[in-house]
Each structure stands twice: as structure tokens, then as C-alpha cells.
């Protein structure tokens, strides 16, 4: 939505009215995504906008604590929080109310989230989140399923030139630990890797320097990155991550040899609560991420996340996504003059028209039709196009 | 949703997780309603969950002030409010951002609202609201259009035995004023009418007593009520309300002779910000209102509502509505064993199946299919029903 001065005077920063035709466009895309998730066996759930703060911000939800609005509940006298992310709610549902359902448990959702502050890249404070969670399975097949589903659903709503960027945010820490680096060294190294600063990595990397420089430079197209990774003398601790990446890529390639897949071996930002294979979804020429996802543990208590159930999933951000989706063709509007029978207008709707009924006689029906945004009008029982 | 002890321990009172299959059921009904509104020329808008308090609670929004949660905005240092009703937001959009669009302006919406407290009849504190607003026209044709649309959309999602209860909440005050009653007498009379207490109406009604008793007893099936109303010696001030009711009913009957319509000539509760013909939607044997609507003024400042634009519309409450709508048939789920190609599963989805893919080999595929809630499984390239 382009910001206009009137809107910004009326609404708090980062909050917007979505107007015609964008609101219909968004709703249609959301429902098509959900229909695709449903066809893949994911069942829809709808958690509330607000929960008790200590539930919503425990476990994987803790990452959003600073971004979350609080409300006092006058009934319970306890603090509530307005969700800033839906994923922790789905994890809660899976591990409490649906804990006795068969695994793998496949759930999907859409809804609004609210954040205290926007970022520079994304000033919005309210988003539509749409996503899936696959709870229970440890297998690489689960990682492949959610990535393939994300790609299928995005392409289904018209996203072109999609690319999937795989990463394993746990790999660098495991490599460093395996090579005996101290926590302090790891933090400096982390900062250097985030800057993609090869010289700094060499300077502070100690015994891990050479390995991490190779991981950094090998990032790029999946097959090349995996070739480099395969030949590296990784410490035993990081072996599981390498194997998972290899297995998942093999499954992805078997299903979708055409999909553009890149691998970033040193990325971790935005994946703070991810516990394994993760991914980001992009469309060429579209600014920002369409969505992201990956491995986590569902339902672990704070500090004991590893006791949670294995899970993976993804969230799509509708604001970015809609920039990558062509607007649907507007349905044709026909002006139905005052006095036309209810049944006659209904017949036009049944034929696929949007009817715009005149509520009073019009001196010039063609002009009135035009004024109301109709390209056609009903006259003498027939639909005619306006000149 | 039936309350369960686990849920009530986890979530604040009046807030619920909507689980499978109810969440999908609700979403499908919402989209069918919106599709019908769209076919009638109503364009979708989506206002934000949160606005500045002084905007959201001005004009017709003031009625919800006590039911509205507040949040401090750290960016503007101003108070924001979480919407408790979407109608005032649509009125704001119509009279500000869309003020230069042609009238009549037809808008529709769906979204979540949050309330500080539930009522005894409706303990929920979060609702899905779905509705339309028709802004600009004064004509009875506009009243008829929104009522016919509500009926059409509700019947379209499967509501049976629908009834529309018409009322004109302005009529009793106009009658009383026309007959010279003081404000204090009117308040006592109002209480007596709300109790449907004929004896009290006679005792406190003064010069209006006989007329109001007749209005009270005439309420019921529309044609009979209108016959009584037509013969009453109403004061001049109430004449406009009588004429509007008569005109609207004539238009409704011309379009839908079969529709069950009742008229309540003394009702006003729940219509505090309505300025004329109003209505409530019920389904026989379903507890509570499916929705309600009526005349108001859009965009008038506090205390100057009469300067706003003429408008009418309605809001449907999905929680009540879903009790009146049959659940859709579940789509058939087919278990697709581990190792099946991505393309083969896609072919099944294209044929209308919900595919549930095995993420690991299963010792007994039929048993595994059953465990995952599938009635069918893919075996040797063909779908077979489980016994």
C-alpha cells in the first residue's frame, strides 16, 4: 500500500488500511495457499489473537518478547500478550490439546500478528502470517516435504522465479565447539561471519579459520556448495548437519530437479530458535523474504527446548508475497437499473457477473453505470458493453 | 467449541483455540459469505487490528468504549485501541480515504475483534465479524438491498429457517416527543417497554400510553404488524419511520415473498447508534442472533453524528452463524506410502484427494493409513478403500 498523508495522520505508524482491490487480492491468495496446504493433509487451526503472556512467550515464543504488546486481563488479573508470531501458538496446540493425535501431525493456519516496532526493511507492525507446521517426524523426508510444499503453494498463487535458500544455523557452532573454540572466540567469529568478512574470520577463527572460510566461500548454488562441503574434514559434531543437508537436497532434487536451490553454510540470523535444517524463500526481483522456516522443538519449556517434539514448518509473509503475485483479473461489473427484479439480478450473478444495482432511477443509465465503475449495463433484458 | 479443562487452564476466559475441522469450516463459510457480498458489488477492505483510541472510539465507535482494550504506542506515545467492532473502521475508511469514491459506496469485510468482557449469553471475547456497509444512499431501496443480501448470503452458506426481525429504534422516542412527554417520563417508559410490561406502560405512558401499548402488542408477523401500524394516529414526527418501514417491507416482499419477516415496533436494545430502520437475523432453533444491522450515520464527529453520511449495513457473528450451518463433507484422505514419487502424489491431489504422505516405510501400510485418518491408500499405483 502506498502511504498517503491522510492515512498516516489517521493511523499509527506501520498500520494500514488495505483498500480495494488489494484486500480481495490478499484474501484470495491466502485461501489458495491454505487450500494447497489442506490438499497436502495439513489441517487448519485458529488460535486466539491474545494469550496469557507466560504461555505465549515461553519456549520458542521467547524470541519475540520485546516485539510483543501486553494487555492486562481484567477477568484473571493476569498479563496477556497479543501474538507477534503464530508458530509458538501452533506448537502449543500440537503439544497440549492435540498431544494425543497421531504423529506426524500436520497443521496449517493464517492470521494477523502485531508487533511493537517495525524494522527498517519492514516498517509494518501488523502482518498476515500463513503457514504450516509438521510435528513429530525426525526424518529428512519431513524437511523435504515442507520445502516442497512451500514451493508448490507459492508457485500455485503465481510466484515466479522462486528460489529456496537452505541453511543449517547449528553447523557453525558445532564446528567451532568441535574444534575447541571458547564461547568468546565464537562470538567474535559469529560477527565476522555475519559481515562475510574473510580477513576477520582468518584473524579470529583460530583452528576453525580455514574451515569456516571455506564454508563461507562455498555458499551459493546447492550442488556446488554440497560438493565443497562433502570434501571438508568436519568435526564429528557437525556430521549430523552435513548428512541432513545432503539427504534433504537429494529428496528435493528427486522431486523438483528444476527448483532453484542455494545453500548458505554460515547463515544464522533470523533462525535463533531453529535447531537444524532451515530455509528462506525468495522470488527474483522481489525485495525481502517471501517466507522462512525450518527445524525446531515444539513444546519444550524455557531452557529445556530440547525435550520438545521434533518439528519443522514455515511461515509466509503476505506483504512481501503479494508483491510477487500478479493481481487477479477483476470480475466484470454490470449496472442493473433501478426497478429490475431481484430474480433478474440473481440470474446475472449466477452467470458470473458482479451486479451493481441502481437504488434510484438514473436519468442517463449509461453514464450512471460508468460512474459506478461498471463496464456493462443491463438494458431491455440484455447486458451491453459501454462504449 | 466445547470448553475442555486443559484449554481453560491455558487460555484466558472467553478465548479459544479453534481446532480441526471447525477452523476450516469457519474459514470456508467466511469466504463464501464474502464471495456473495462481492458478487453484489461490495468491495473488500481490511482495516488494521489496532488504531489510535481517539479515532476508533469517536462517533458510532463510542458505544464500544468500555469493551475496548487499550495499548500504549511506544512510537507515537499515544494510546491505541484494539478494535471491538469493525463497523466504525469501515465508516472511517468510507468518509476519509474513500471519500472521493462514487456513492453509493459498497464495502465488505471480515476480521477478528476483541472485547474486554463477554456477556452471560456470549462469554466469548474474540469474534469473527463479517459484514457489509452501504454508504451514501437514503432510499428505502438501500435498506432492502442489505437485508436481501444478508438473507441471500446466509441461505447460501446453508442457514435454514431464517427470519428477519425489523425494528425502528427511533420510533418510540419520536412518538413520545411528538406527544410531549418529558425526558424523565420517556426513560421510565423505555424500561417498561423493555420489560414488555403492558401495565407499567399504561401507568407511566401518559398521553402516549394507548399508542405504545398498541405498538407493543402489534409486534409480530410483518403483515399484521404493518396493518395495525397503518391505522394508528401517529404524531407527525414518527411518520417518516412508518413510511420507511412500509416502503422497505414492500420492496422485500416483491423480491422475497417467502422470507419470514417479523416487525418489533418497540425494540431498541443493541441499536444504540442506529438512526432508522434496523434488523436482526435469526435461524429457527438456533440460540442467539446470527447478525444485525441497520441505519446509521458514517463519519459524524462525536455529538454531531447527524452530519455524517447516510449509511446502512450489517454484521454477522460467525460463532452463532456456524451453529446454524451444516459442516461440509470432509475431503477424502488417501495415504501415499513412503517412496512414492512427488508427481504421483500431485496427480492424486489434482483428482481431488487430500494426500497424506508416509515419511518413513510402514510395516503395515493399511494400518498406517488408518492411524493417520485416511479412508484410502495408494498401493501398486491404484487407490483402494480400507476395509
Amino acid at each position: 500500500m502506498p502511504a498517503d498523508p491522510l492515512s498516516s495522520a489517521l493511523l499509527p505508524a506501520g498500520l494500514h488500511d488495505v483498500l480495494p482491490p488489494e484486500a480481495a487480492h490478499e484474501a484470495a491468495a491466502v485461501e489458495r495457499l491454505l487450500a494447497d496446504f489442506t490438499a497436502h493433509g495439513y489441517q487448519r487451526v485458529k488460535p486466539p489473537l491474545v494469550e496469557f503472556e507466560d504461555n505465549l512467550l515461553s519456549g520458542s515464543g521467547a524470541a519475540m518478547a520485546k516485539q510483543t504488546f501486553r494487555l492486562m486481563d481484567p477477568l484473571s488479573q493476569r498479563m496477556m500478550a497479543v501474538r507477534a508470531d503464530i508458530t509458538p501458538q501452533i506448537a502449543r496446540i500440537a503439544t497440549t490439546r492435540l498431544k494425543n493425535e497421531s504423529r506426524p501431525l500436520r497443521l496449517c493456519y493464517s492470521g494477523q500478528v502485531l508487533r511493537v516496532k517495525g524494522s527498517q526493511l519492514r516498517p509494518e507492525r501488523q502482518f498476515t502470517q500463513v503457514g504450516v507446521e509438521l510435528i513429530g517426524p525426525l526424518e529428512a523426508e519431513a524437511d523435504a516435504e515442507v520445502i516442497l510444499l512451500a514451493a508448490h503453494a507459492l508457485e500455485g498463487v503465481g510466484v515466479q522465479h522462486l528460489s529456496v535458500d537452505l541453511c543449517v544455523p547449528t553447523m557453525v557452532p558445532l564446528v567451532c565447539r568441535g574444534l575447541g573454540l571458547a564461547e568468546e572466540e565464537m562470538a567474535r567469529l559469529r560477527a565476522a561471519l555475519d559481515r562475510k568478512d574473510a580477513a576477520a574470520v582468518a584473524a579470529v577463527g583460530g583452528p576453525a579459520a580455514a574451515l569456516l572460510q571455506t564454508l563461507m566461500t562455498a555458499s551459493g548454488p546447492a550442488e556446488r556448495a554440497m560438493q565443497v562441503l562433502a570434501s571438508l574434514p568436519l568435526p564429528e559434531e557437525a556430521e549430523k548437519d552435513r548428512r541432513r543437508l545432503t539427504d534433504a537436497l537429494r529428496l528435493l532434487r528427486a522431486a523438483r530437479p528444476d527448483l532453484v536451490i542455494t545453500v548458505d553454510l554460515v547463515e544464522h540470523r533470523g533462525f535463533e530458535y531453529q535447531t537444524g535444517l532451515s530455509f528462506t524463500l525468495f522470488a527474483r526481483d522481489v525485495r525481502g523474504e517471501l517466507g522462512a522456516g525450518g527445524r525446531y522443538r515444539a513444546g519444550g519449556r524455557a531452557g529445556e527446548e530440547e525435550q520438545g517434539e521434533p518439528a519443522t514448518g514455515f511461515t509466509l509473509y503476505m506483504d512481501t508475497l503479494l508483491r510477487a503475485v500478479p493481481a487477479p483479473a477483476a470480475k466484470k461489473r454490470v449496472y442493473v437499473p433501478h426497478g429490475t427484479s431481484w430474480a433478474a439480478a440473481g440470474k446475472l450473478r449466477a452467470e458470473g457477473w458482479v451486479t451493481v444495482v441502481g437504488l434510484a432511477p438514473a436519468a442517463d443509465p449509461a453514464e450512471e453505470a460508468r460512474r459506478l465503475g461498471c463496464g456493462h449495463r443491463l438494458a431491455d433484458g440484455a447486458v451491453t458493453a459501454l462504449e
Side-chain angles (χ1 to χ4, degrees), chain A:
Chain A
M1 297 298 313
D4 71 317
L6 190 55
S7 164
S8 53
L10 284 169
L11 292 174
L15 295 168
H16 299 285
D17 294 317
V18 189
L19 299 182
E22 282 80 10
H25 181 194
E26 176 182 315
V30 167
E31 289 310 313
R32 283 178 66 185
L33 292 167
L34 268 290
D36 201 31
F37 302 160
T38 302
H40 285 76
Y42 288 76
Q43 296 187 284
R44 194 164 185 151
V45 291
K46 184 192 163 207
L49 287 174
V50 165
E51 298 198 18
F52 286 127
E53 178 186 24
D54 41 10
N55 280 340
L56 193 62
L57 303 180
S58 72
S60 60
M64 296 304 289
K66 283 193 176 175
Q67 277 288 36
T68 302
F69 279 109
R70 268 68 160 193
L71 295 169
M72 170 61 84
D73 180 11
L75 300 186
S76 64
Q77 314 281 319
R78 289 172 65 187
M79 287 308 287
M80 304 193 296
V82 184
R83 66 182 177 201
D85 185 9
I86 300 180
T87 301
Q89 295 189 298
I90 310 299
R92 175 185 57 73
I93 290 173
T95 54
T96 56
R97 296 197 59 188
L98 300 181
K99 70 174 178 222
N100 296 323
E101 293 288 308
S102 298
R103 265 50 177 168
L105 180 64
R106 292 174 168 93
L107 300 175
C108 63
Y109 62 88
S110 79
Q112 305 300 307
V113 301
L114 207 61
R115 297 193 178 164
V116 171
K117 288 185 185 181
S119 66
Q120 239 181 345
L121 266 175
R122 184 177 257 157
E124 290 80 14
R125 296 200 283 169
Q126 179 179 334
F127 300 96
T128 305
Q129 280 191 346
V130 174
V132 309
E133 306 300 335
L134 174 52
I135 294 118
L138 271 168
E139 292 87 354
E141 279 81 350
D143 299 282
E145 173 169 304
V146 297
I147 293 167
L148 290 168
L149 175 53
H152 189 264
L154 287 170
E155 291 169 345
V157 294
V159 172
Q160 293 194 312
H161 306 299
L162 180 72
S163 74
V164 180
D165 192 35
L166 302 179
C167 65
V168 193
T170 45
M171 187 184 278
V172 165
L174 290 173
V175 165
C176 293
R177 244 168 254 142
L179 295 175
L181 268 74
E183 288 296 322
E184 194 195 298
E185 290 169 299
M186 278 172 63
R188 274 186 293 164
L189 198 48
R190 189 65 271 174
L193 286 169
D194 289 349
R195 295 195 308 272
K196 311 266 174 194
D197 181 343
V201 170
V204 301
L211 203 52
L212 292 175
Q213 278 187 300
T214 313
L215 289 180
M216 199 171 73
T217 51
S219 295
E223 276 66 22
R224 194 177 64 87
M226 295 308 293
Q227 216 171 8
V228 175
L229 187 64
S231 66
L232 284 183
L234 288 190
E236 179 62 25
E237 287 82 350
E239 195 47 55
K240 195 166 57 84
D241 280 349
R242 170 157 63 184
R243 201 162 51 241
R244 174 51 48 100
L245 203 47
T246 310
D247 290 347
L249 189 63
R250 179 178 44 76
L251 291 164
L252 292 173
R253 277 290 167 243
R256 290 289 309 268
D258 59 314
L259 192 62
V260 175
I261 306 176
T262 57
V263 172
D264 189 325
L265 296 168
V266 300
E267 186 57 83
H268 77 123
R269 283 168 294 184
F271 296 103
E272 284 74 10
Y273 72 88
Q274 252 67 38
T275 57
L277 184 65
S278 300
F279 55 96
T280 314
L281 303 153
F282 295 97
R284 201 173 73 199
D285 304 328
V286 175
R287 180 174 57 83
E289 305 173 0
L290 304 180
R295 281 277 166 192
Y296 63 100
R297 290 277 169 165
R301 285 156 190 271
E304 300 173 8
E305 284 82 0
E306 282 174 30
Q307 295 175 3
E309 273 191 85
T312 184
F314 61 80
T315 293
L316 306 177
Y317 291 97
M318 292 307 296
D319 56 330
T320 316
L321 203 158
L322 288 177
R323 291 200 292 264
V325 172
K331 281 182 87 179
K332 286 185 178 176
R333 288 162 67 92
V334 58
Y335 174 70
V336 176
H338 181 251
T340 306
S341 78
W342 171 253
K347 193 161 160 289
L348 292 173
R349 286 189 291 270
E351 292 167 6
W353 291 96
V354 169
T355 58
V356 178
V357 174
L359 300 176
D364 181 345
E367 180 49 35
E368 180 68 358
R370 221 170 272 120
R371 197 181 68 81
L372 293 172
C374 298
H376 294 74
R377 68 185 180 101
L378 181 69
D380 305 324
V383 172
T384 54
L386 299 182
E387 274 152 37

